[in-house]
Amino acid sequence: MTLKCGRADVFNSKWDAPLTFAYSGEAQGTLAVTGVLGNFTIPATKKPLAIEPDIHGEAIDGIADARVLLPALADLESCIDKKAGPDAKPPSDEYLDAHAACLQELAPSPEGVGAVAEIRLGISLDPGDTSGEDAFVVFKVRYADKSSKAPDATMSAELFPAKCVLQK
């Protein structure tokens, strides 16, 4: 099963690029991610998903360590401090705005960063669906290194892929 998303994130213009998820396996398998965030594979599971009482699909869930093309944590924290001030803390608007702006303007670390990638693909099997998309994607990346700026010392980036269509 291959899901191609035309856009890796609907908010970040830097991630306005294709992102592909390829699942191989049955109930247990692997989920390969390729695109603007790099190329990595994580273990995943597939199971039935009830979207609405009469609409069913499949959920593919994976979570594991990965090397992801994101800015270095120290660069991200420094940028947030410059934009929002060193006292800004989440969930303040200043902090969240600075976090989003910094992810858009900072270059990714060339070798990628150690992170935990958490992905859920919700695939609709509804033949009457006219949305133009075959799935919703929840994609969160948490930096492996401890953060001095983020709650619980965990800095993260959440992506909202769009235009996701199954390749048939």
Side-chain angles (χ1 to χ4, degrees):
M1 187 277 326
T2 300
L3 181 70
K4 289 196 174 218
C5 297
R7 187 170 180 160
D9 185 73
V10 297
F11 300 110
N12 188 332
S13 59
K14 186 179 247 179
W15 296 330
D16 185 2
L19 187 64
T20 301
F21 301 94
Y23 180 78
S24 57
E26 293 301 322
Q28 300 283 323
T30 58
L31 184 61
V33 179
T34 56
V36 68
L37 296 170
N39 304 320
F40 57 91
T41 303
I42 61 174
T45 59
K46 180 171 68 170
K47 60 187 173 200
L49 174 67
I51 299 169
E52 291 184 16
D54 295 333
I55 300 174
H56 301 281
E58 295 177 328
I60 297 174
D61 294 297
I63 183 169
D65 293 340
R67 297 247 14 120
V68 181
L69 294 179
L70 288 173
L73 180 60
D75 294 344
L76 181 58
E77 290 177 331
S78 176
C79 180
I80 291 170
D81 280 347
K82 286 178 187 162
K83 289 190 176 301
D87 295 331
K89 301 282 185 222
S92 74
D93 288 343
E94 296 83 12
Y95 175 90
L96 296 173
D97 291 346
H99 181 272
C102 290
L103 284 174
Q104 290 185 36
E105 70 184 49
L106 293 172
S109 172
E111 64 278 354
V113 299
V116 176
E118 183 176 355
I119 302 168
R120 170 169 254 212
L121 308 179
I123 300 163
S124 174
L125 301 177
D126 179 13
D129 185 357
T130 60
S131 70
E133 295 197 61
D134 296 324
F136 67 86
V137 180
V138 177
F139 190 175
K140 187 171 187 176
V141 180
R142 292 187 306 272
Y143 282 81
D145 292 340
K146 299 292 181 199
S147 170
S148 62
K149 290 293 302 172
D152 300 327
T154 305
M155 181 69 73
S156 63
E158 194 163 353
L159 288 84
F160 300 94
K163 302 177 187 172
C164 298
V165 178
L166 286 171
Q167 302 301 291
K168 299 180 175 141

